[in-house]
Amino acid sequence: MKAYNSLVAILFMLLISCSTSTNQSSAVDKKIDSLLREMTLEEKLGQLNLPSAGQFTTGQAQSSDIAKKIEQGLVGGLFNIKSVKAIREMQEIAVEKSRLKIPLLFGMDVIHGYESVFPIPLGLSCSWDMELIEKTARIAAQEASADGINWTFSPMVDLSRDARWGRISEGSGEDTYLGSAIAQAMVRGYQGDDLTANNTIMSCVKHYALYGAAEAGRDYNTTDMSRHRIYNEYFPPYKAAVDAGVGSIMASFNEIDGIPATANKWLLTDVLRKEWGFDGFVVSDYTGVSEMVDHGYGDLKTVSGKALAAGLDMDMVSEGLVGTLAKSLKEGKVTEAQIDAACRRILKAKFDLGLFDDPYRYCNEERARTEIFTAENRAFARSVAAQSFVLLKNQNNILPLQKKGTIALVGPLADAANNMTGTWSVAARFSESISVLEGLKKAVGDKARIVYAKGSNLHEDASIEERATMFGKSLNRDSRYAQVIRDEAVRIARNADVIVAAVGESAEMSGESSSRVNIDIPQLQRDLLNALLETGKPVVLVLFTGRPLTLTWENENIPAILNVWFGGSEAGDAIADVLFGDVNPSGKLTTTFPQHVGQLPMYYAHKNTGRPITEGQWFQKFRTNYLDVSNDPVYPFGYGLSYTTFSYANLSLDKTELAAGGSIKVSVIVTNTGSREGAEVVQLYVRDLVGSVTRPVKELKGFKKVMLKPGESRAVTFTLTESDLSFYRADLTFGAEPGKFHVFVGGNSHDVLQGEFELK
Ligand code: BGC
């Protein structure tokens, strides 16, 4: 009876909360209806317009061209303006001078933190820690909203399996399952439970869709793939963000099926709205609308009309919608209902953010002074950075280092505070980031001596170096001969006890429009590494990179490699924390590190083919392989070492047959077999042996991060249900198919224990 009563109570509460939210939304709908009735066609089109405001500075705003447009009601939002004062000034024009006083949205690329910068997304994903990731988004939202921002163009959830593509740095790697979990954590972090709160912001998941599968890894390039692959592998992270309630979505630059995503009705309406039930708004990417002219899809008027009809609501920068839709309406190419629907969605977002109640909700100068780049947020960023690092090699336990003797710090990234935050950190205070040199010096105090020399420029080719150090991230190219710069470093290294080489990519060597065909560490820096090895002193490679690099030579020759990605504003301190063992590294790769660029695209969840190579073999004639390199990666997905070691034993399944609707428990005993406390990411993979469409050789279906004391053993248990085994078939129906499955558990995608069960 008691249970029944509480059930009734719960149902009643649910009913009340549903009807309250329906009432609220119908009240908002009514407000929007009446606003729409009052709006002229031009004002409606104005809401669909998102011009760039990058160059504004306070004071100029009032008299700028944009200000006039805002006053005329021709602007729906602005983006990438930094400072609460400048934002307030623009908002004032909208709500005090425009006829209908509709507030503006203020967007920004708050991608991995605001002023307190966290690791680049690819690095952050290597923490495999959803709470941590959510908290980074939460803090980013708090800082950004304190500075006037109410909308972020994040998360980027484009799956990528091609390290040539520079924007692989902005996503969460190659895996569908992990990428989906991270997408949700980020959306939750930004938007919180209450979007109207002054410290939450609207999230915009991007770039919808398949942007990370650009042919040849060349940015903005064509994508083309089968429907079942799209649904099984590439769509889930976007859908996960939609399921988490993301408020907006950004169309990608690329075309799909010969139609640019920005005007792709199948994508923007059939899938996004009808299948997934998305009710937020869709924004184009930067000039995504006008770029369709170059795609060969029509003139500006034509492509703008097609985009609207396909389901695009807001036009970033092109001014195609605001500039041409009135004419298209007259010509009968678009309908007023389509314009109203887009305008309604933008207005709805403004209501959802609470901007109609208080347009200055995010314009509190006191918050801007006290809540940004705080000691607390920076301390958190430091600990997050350390958790994103991946220890790739540690021969003879060279690491951790001791705080004693002389440590030679060498390399173009060693004293480069302005590069620590990596790509897409528009709000960062570059010069206040902690460099490796500063971090190491602070960490050792007077216990050890740190000697420094640059040792080499970033790249042998000055023009490549220039392209890779844009946006205020110069590495101050040294004009002396390479040999002279190198010799200087070798001299100090010879007298040191250990050498730390901070080498790799610069911050802007990955990111947008930074594709590479050669993904080695630049030769000039390899020459430096070689010269350092010749001193006979132990060399620790601290690797900066925004993508997987080909580390075949380094893996063979350098005794210790710590991949630090771009760790954010506090990277230097975090690197010291890990190098000296104050933090035990626990990051695991979320992207495969190939041996050779020619293996790309490369990913663990590949298909078997009809001619798979025998495990452990390099070459077999008439099998799936290369003449000149084995199929293996240098480091597989999920890989990462620790200062301690872990063993896996006793993989057990609670049953061998899984009935429809049932579940199966998979357990393993993980033991810390080393002498330090450490965290291990335990990973579970599944293989469906036979399917109506062929299935990957392994797919991640679960992971748990456990902290174990030296000698401690723990049973780690996963539960698998039919839905974990389900997939999209050729006809796009979704479900699991009876038959045998292999299940694997281990500390990376390669070294695993194996079990088997059958789905009945
Ligand atoms: C990028 C987007 C970004 C936008 C706005 C574009 O070039 O592709 O990721 O959000 O610019 O800055």
Side-chain angles (χ1 to χ4, degrees):
M1 191 61 191
K2 219 172 172 185
Y4 172 78
N5 282 346
S6 46
L7 192 71
V8 172
I10 290 172
L11 285 175
F12 184 68
M13 297 292 286
L14 269 174
L15 214 66
I16 295 208
S17 77
C18 282
S19 74
T20 329
S21 71
T22 329
N23 287 346
Q24 273 165 1
S25 63
S26 68
V28 167
D29 281 340
K30 276 193 195 132
K31 284 184 191 161
I32 296 177
D33 287 340
S34 72
L35 205 48
L36 280 171
R37 276 195 295 274
E38 276 184 67
M39 292 172 89
T40 63
L41 176 64
E42 284 64 34
E43 284 164 338
K44 287 177 187 170
L45 297 180
Q47 288 304 306
L48 319 189
N49 190 26
L50 179 69
S52 162
Q55 64 278 50
F56 285 153
T57 53
T58 316
Q60 288 170 356
Q62 300 283 359
S63 58
S64 69
D65 185 39
I66 285 283
K68 278 191 214 103
K69 287 187 185 165
I70 297 172
E71 210 173 314
Q72 292 160 2
L74 296 180
V75 176
L78 294 170
F79 68 103
N80 288 351
I81 310 182
K82 194 179 179 217
S83 111
V84 70
K85 194 156 180 255
I87 287 177
R88 176 180 279 274
E89 212 172 295
M90 304 311 277
Q91 193 68 298
E92 260 167 21
I93 305 175
V95 298
E96 283 165 34
K97 296 198 179 156
S98 78
R99 192 177 75 91
L100 292 173
K101 311 190 180 334
I102 300 175
L104 298 170
L105 291 172
F106 288 95
M108 187 185 263
D109 289 284
V110 181
I111 307 293
H112 48 113
Y114 188 70
E115 286 191 10
S116 303
V117 184
F118 302 109
I120 55 167
L122 185 58
L124 189 58
S125 68
C126 294
S127 71
W128 296 61
D129 184 334
M130 297 311 112
E131 253 174 62
L132 187 90
I133 292 174
E134 180 173 335
K135 192 168 167 198
T136 65
R138 188 83 283 284
I139 288 178
Q142 277 161 3
E143 289 199 359
S145 61
D147 222 8
I149 302 298
N150 49 43
W151 181 32
T152 177
F153 305 133
S154 172
M156 182 188 108
V157 303
D158 306 319
L159 208 79
S160 185
R161 293 161 171 187
D162 194 333
R164 292 171 296 182
W165 190 53
R167 301 195 81 172
I168 196 171
S169 55
E170 295 175 54
S172 298
E174 71 185 49
D175 189 63
T176 308
Y177 181 87
L178 181 65
S180 302
I182 293 177
Q184 298 208 324
M186 296 290 287
V187 172
R188 280 197 305 269
Y190 289 130
Q191 298 195 161
D193 299 327
D194 176 10
L195 208 45
T196 62
N198 70 356
N199 63 1
T200 57
I201 60 179
M202 185 172 278
S203 164
C204 179
V205 63
K206 69 188 188 186
H207 308 82
Y208 183 62
L210 319 184
Y211 184 36
E215 283 178 2
R218 201 160 65 236
D219 211 356
Y220 320 121
N221 208 7
T222 307
T223 60
D224 202 357
M225 67 172 78
S226 68
R227 284 289 192 262
H228 87 264
R229 179 171 226 177
I230 294 178
Y231 273 83
N232 281 317
E233 300 171 30
Y234 283 77
F235 267 171
Y238 308 105
K239 177 163 187 303
V242 169
D243 291 343
V246 72
S248 60
I249 191 162
M250 187 185 291
S252 55
F253 286 126
N254 54 286
E255 64 169 61
I256 298 171
D257 297 336
I259 299 173
T262 313
N264 194 312
K265 178 171 169 297
W266 170 73
L267 201 64
L268 303 188
T269 298
D270 299 348
V271 175
L272 183 62
R273 297 200 183 282
K274 294 190 183 153
E275 272 179 43
W276 298 352
F278 176 66
D279 64 358
F281 72 93
V282 184
V283 63
S284 79
D285 202 345
Y286 200 105
T287 61
V289 171
S290 56
E291 286 175 24
M292 288 191 280
V293 176
D294 283 319
H295 273 279
Y297 203 54
D299 59 15
L300 187 62
K301 178 160 73 73
T302 309
V303 296
S304 302
K306 284 184 175 176
L308 179 82
L312 186 84
D313 302 310
M314 195 175 225
D315 169 359
M316 189 191 289
V317 179
S318 302
E319 307 222 321
L321 299 198
V322 73
T324 69
L325 286 184
K327 202 149 183 238
S328 295
L329 181 65
K330 244 190 225 145
E331 292 168 2
K333 302 262 170 51
V334 298
T335 64
E336 183 134 22
Q338 286 167 335
I339 295 171
D340 283 0
C343 185
R344 173 182 293 279
R345 292 184 192 121
I346 310 290
L347 294 173
K348 170 83 173 20
K350 296 179 178 182
F351 274 104
D352 290 347
L353 282 164
L355 288 169
F356 277 99
D357 289 337
D358 177 6
Y360 303 112
R361 171 159 286 179
Y362 305 89
C363 294
N364 178 335
E365 292 191 27
E366 172 62 18
R367 281 189 65 206
R369 268 193 303 277
T370 56
E371 293 183 24
I372 303 176
F373 210 49
T374 60
E376 195 188 342
N377 290 355
R378 294 183 69 183
F380 178 62
R382 174 176 178 167
S383 84
V384 176
Q387 292 175 71
S388 74
F389 300 162
V390 185
L391 182 63
L392 298 175
K393 187 175 173 191
N394 193 18
Q395 196 176 310
N396 302 329
N397 294 327
I398 291 194
L399 289 173
L401 302 176
Q402 295 188 14
K403 293 178 185 167
K404 67 175 198 198
T406 300
I407 300 168
L409 175 65
V410 169
L413 277 313
D415 185 19
N418 61 358
N419 271 251
M420 294 298 102
T421 55
T423 192
W424 274 125
S425 41
V426 288
R429 310 184 188 188
F430 299 139
S431 59
E432 289 175 58
S433 292
I434 312 294
S435 70
V436 189
L437 181 58
E438 187 184 346
L440 259 54
K441 278 191 167 161
K442 267 199 280 173
V444 300
D446 53 14
K447 291 190 195 128
R449 205 160 73 91
I450 307 286
V451 289
Y452 161 78
K454 186 171 182 182
S456 102
N457 282 315
L458 177 76
H459 203 283
E460 50 278 18
D461 182 332
S463 61
I464 294 184
E465 175 156 343
E466 197 184 333
R467 287 176 218 152
T469 52
M470 293 167 103
F471 310 126
K473 295 177 187 167
S474 166
L475 288 174
N476 303 321
R477 196 170 172 84
D478 190 328
S479 57
R480 292 174 299 163
Y481 285 117
Q483 183 75 42
V484 175
I485 306 171
R486 193 157 53 235
D487 286 350
E488 187 177 71
V490 168
R491 259 196 309 279
I492 66 153
R494 271 206 201 103
N495 297 320
D497 299 298
V498 61
I499 304 166
V500 174
V503 300
E505 293 195 318
S506 58
E508 294 300 330
M509 212 152 161
S510 60
E512 188 168 351
S513 185
S514 296
S515 293
R516 294 177 66 193
V517 295
N518 176 347
I519 54 168
D520 293 341
I521 291 180
Q523 190 53 48
L524 193 59
Q525 296 186 59
R526 272 202 176 153
D527 294 345
L528 169 67
L529 289 171
N530 242 322
L532 296 173
L533 286 172
E534 277 167 15
T535 64
K537 303 282 178 177
V539 177
V540 174
L541 196 171
V542 171
L543 177 71
F544 285 85
T545 184
R547 54 155 58 81
L549 296 178
T550 36
L551 298 176
T552 315
W553 178 85
E554 288 76 6
N555 187 48
E556 271 162 24
N557 293 286
I558 314 265
I561 308 175
L562 179 70
N563 178 12
V564 298
W565 306 108
F566 290 94
S569 48
E570 317 308 313
D573 282 335
I575 291 167
D577 289 340
V578 173
L579 286 180
F580 294 113
D582 297 320
V583 175
N584 188 356
S586 58
K588 300 267 192 178
L589 296 178
T590 56
T591 176
T592 303
F593 274 50
Q595 294 181 62
H596 194 281
V597 70
Q599 292 174 299
L600 298 175
M602 192 175 192
Y603 49 99
Y604 81 92
H606 60 82
K607 299 288 185 75
N608 205 37
T609 84
R611 295 183 171 197
I613 195 157
T614 314
E615 169 92 33
Q617 291 278 330
W618 172 341
F619 178 79
Q620 291 170 299
K621 192 67 182 168
F622 303 121
R623 295 265 135 192
T624 300
N625 49 212
Y626 304 98
L627 280 175
D628 46 0
V629 70
S630 78
N631 285 348
D632 299 331
V634 176
Y635 306 117
F637 176 86
Y639 171 85
L641 304 172
S642 161
Y643 293 155
T644 188
T645 45
F646 299 96
S647 76
Y648 284 72
N650 298 356
L651 179 74
S652 66
L653 282 69
D654 69 343
K655 47 177 95 74
T656 51
E657 288 183 357
L658 175 60
S663 64
I664 195 161
K665 284 200 168 22
V666 182
S667 300
V668 71
I669 307 290
V670 185
T671 306
N672 181 342
T673 47
S675 55
R676 278 170 180 262
E677 185 175 37
E680 168 75 340
V681 179
V682 183
Q683 303 154 42
L684 176 136
Y685 300 85
V686 161
R687 177 173 183 184
D688 184 352
L689 297 190
V690 177
S692 61
V693 292
T694 60
R695 310 291 301 124
V697 296
K698 264 178 204 149
E699 283 181 290
L700 183 74
K701 290 293 173 187
F703 57 89
K704 283 187 180 166
K705 193 168 180 177
V706 292
M707 183 63 97
L708 294 175
K709 297 213 158 40
E712 187 183 349
S713 285
R714 174 117 28 108
V716 178
T717 303
F718 299 90
T719 304
L720 285 174
T721 65
E722 200 180 328
S723 91
D724 295 310
L725 311 175
S726 298
F727 62 94
Y728 291 91
R729 308 181 182 100
D731 62 1
L732 298 186
T733 54
F734 184 71
E737 295 177 354
K740 282 203 172 132
F741 288 80
H742 285 167
V743 58
F744 313 91
V745 181
N748 65 64
S749 61
H750 185 260
D751 304 310
V752 286
L753 300 176
Q754 184 181 326
E756 189 178 298
F757 66 92
E758 189 170 348
L759 176 67
K760 283 290 175 188

